[in-house]
Amino acid sequence: MTAPVHHPASRSLGLPRMLLRLHRPALCIWVVLVLAVSALLLWLDGPLTDAAAEAWRQYHACGVTPRCSYNQAAILRYKDMENYSTFAVLAVPLVVAAWAGASLTGRELESGTATLAWTQGVSPARWLAVKLTVPAVAVAAGTGLLVLLHHLMWSASHGRIDTIKSWNDTPTFYANGPVLVALALVGLAAGALAGLAWRRSLAALATAVLAVSLVWAALYAVLPHLWPTVTSITGLDDGNGLAGDGITVGEGFLTSTGARHPMAVDCGPYAYDPECRTVYNKLHATGFYHEYHPISHYWPLQLTAAALVLAVAGALTVTAFRLLPARTR
């Protein structure tokens, strides 16, 4: 009687099944989380937006009429739910990083489960590749769905609800585009690397969350410089301050030589005040400049930032594979 033959292909297919079985509770929680936030965003996109838009229509119809009634509760409800949903979407990269650091690799190295898998005909490299690929698909799909629904909800409210955030509002900008999906993948890669480095769940969890936070902070600092800016110039006598709306990169006043300088303290971009006009005359100012990103730069900034963050995720992944041999000795 011959022993059954286990082909490499069957082992390759069995590893993802084993991974899904091992992390089934986390997968179920992830699905429930995505569905719950998606339901909230769909509720915002439909009934809540309609009710708040009607309340704002009533409010504007009141004019200066005293004791005019409008549905203030609908306006406040929409504002609260919009804030809750935005921050729920923004929390995804940190949640992914915490799970990946605590459970994906760190716990298995800590408990010895990974070593057992390596003795069953699964190479460490294949083990790590599956460990990263299967969750990456789930993370990218779930986060992408939330970002899409948030963007649709935000777009549906423009021109209808006065309290809707501008496109360049920082939380709205990140929750509305693919850069958040890239940050979630950074969380996954950072968690896997931290688990390999520390081989302890709690230490890897804290390290992964800190790593994502640092990447996010660095991205916030460099994002305005990822795409060429637009510059608008206004004269001292215009009286309207700076021209142009968007993500501000720089502002100040111009001199007769064309040199740029920071705004005068306590005056800002306004020269109609006699004291400020005297200050700007002494500085030989001829006008004000505003260097910024208009709304037309939204997608260039999103895509460039997402590509940069994906490069970071790739670097973390490569580092994890380079560290793996040291953990298999």
Side-chain angles (χ1 to χ4, degrees):
M1 187 173 181
T2 59
V5 178
H6 297 283
H7 296 287
S10 64
R11 288 199 297 268
S12 299
L13 292 174
L15 191 56
R17 294 196 199 100
M18 182 180 69
L19 177 66
L20 290 173
R21 192 182 311 117
L22 181 65
H23 296 286
R24 186 180 299 167
L27 178 61
C28 293
I29 293 173
W30 173 246
V31 171
V32 170
L33 174 65
V34 170
L35 291 178
V37 180
S38 297
L40 175 58
L41 291 170
L42 290 172
W43 186 36
L44 276 163
D45 189 27
L48 283 186
T49 295
D50 294 339
E54 175 60 22
W56 277 111
R57 189 196 64 77
Q58 295 170 357
Y59 173 80
H60 291 301
C62 288
V64 295
T65 304
R67 297 183 181 179
C68 180
S69 69
Y70 63 96
N71 192 354
Q72 186 181 30
I75 293 175
L76 297 177
R77 188 184 306 115
Y78 180 90
K79 184 178 180 180
D80 289 341
M81 292 299 105
E82 192 269 336
N83 286 331
Y84 296 152
S85 66
T86 297
F87 285 103
V89 173
L90 291 176
V92 168
L94 299 175
V95 171
V96 171
W99 169 78
S103 183
L104 190 61
T105 55
R107 188 175 66 181
E108 292 198 31
L109 288 169
E110 185 177 15
S111 64
T113 307
T115 306
L116 178 62
W118 299 337
T119 62
Q120 302 299 313
V122 177
S123 69
R126 185 188 301 167
W127 171 83
L128 182 57
V130 174
K131 278 280 183 181
L132 289 170
T133 303
V134 176
V137 172
V139 167
T143 311
L145 175 62
L146 294 180
V147 166
L148 174 63
L149 292 177
H150 189 279
H151 191 88
L152 292 174
M153 175 274 296
W154 176 82
S155 300
S157 302
H158 264 274
R160 303 176 65 194
I161 296 176
D162 291 16
T163 55
I164 193 65
K165 300 292 189 351
S166 172
W167 72 274
N168 59 325
D169 172 71
T170 299
T172 302
F173 179 87
Y174 284 101
N176 262 357
V179 67
L180 193 79
V181 180
L183 284 167
L185 293 176
V186 164
L188 179 65
L193 176 58
L196 288 172
W198 290 110
R199 291 184 286 184
R200 295 291 184 271
S201 297
L202 290 179
L205 184 154
T207 303
V209 172
L210 178 61
V212 173
S213 302
L214 290 176
V215 170
W216 208 331
L219 178 64
Y220 176 79
V222 303
L223 187 138
H225 309 285
L226 295 179
W227 198 257
T229 58
V230 170
T231 302
S232 64
I233 296 175
T234 53
L236 292 180
D237 297 321
D238 288 354
N240 295 322
L242 299 176
D245 181 43
I247 299 176
T248 296
V249 179
E251 60 183 38
F253 70 88
L254 297 166
T255 64
S256 56
T257 62
R260 296 183 176 187
H261 300 277
M263 291 292 184
V265 179
D266 298 330
C267 284
Y270 304 103
Y272 53 79
D273 181 85
E275 293 183 4
C276 286
R277 187 55 179 261
T278 301
V279 170
Y280 280 121
N281 287 337
K282 289 181 179 180
L283 294 172
H284 305 288
T286 59
F288 302 106
Y289 74 92
H290 183 205
E291 192 177 0
Y292 68 103
H293 292 287
I295 192 171
S296 60
H297 289 189
Y298 172 79
W299 281 113
L301 286 172
Q302 278 280 351
L303 295 176
T304 306
L308 180 63
V309 175
L310 286 176
V312 174
L316 292 173
T317 303
V318 170
T319 305
F321 276 98
R322 289 185 175 274
L323 181 63
L324 185 60
R327 294 294 177 258
T328 59
R329 296 192 188 103

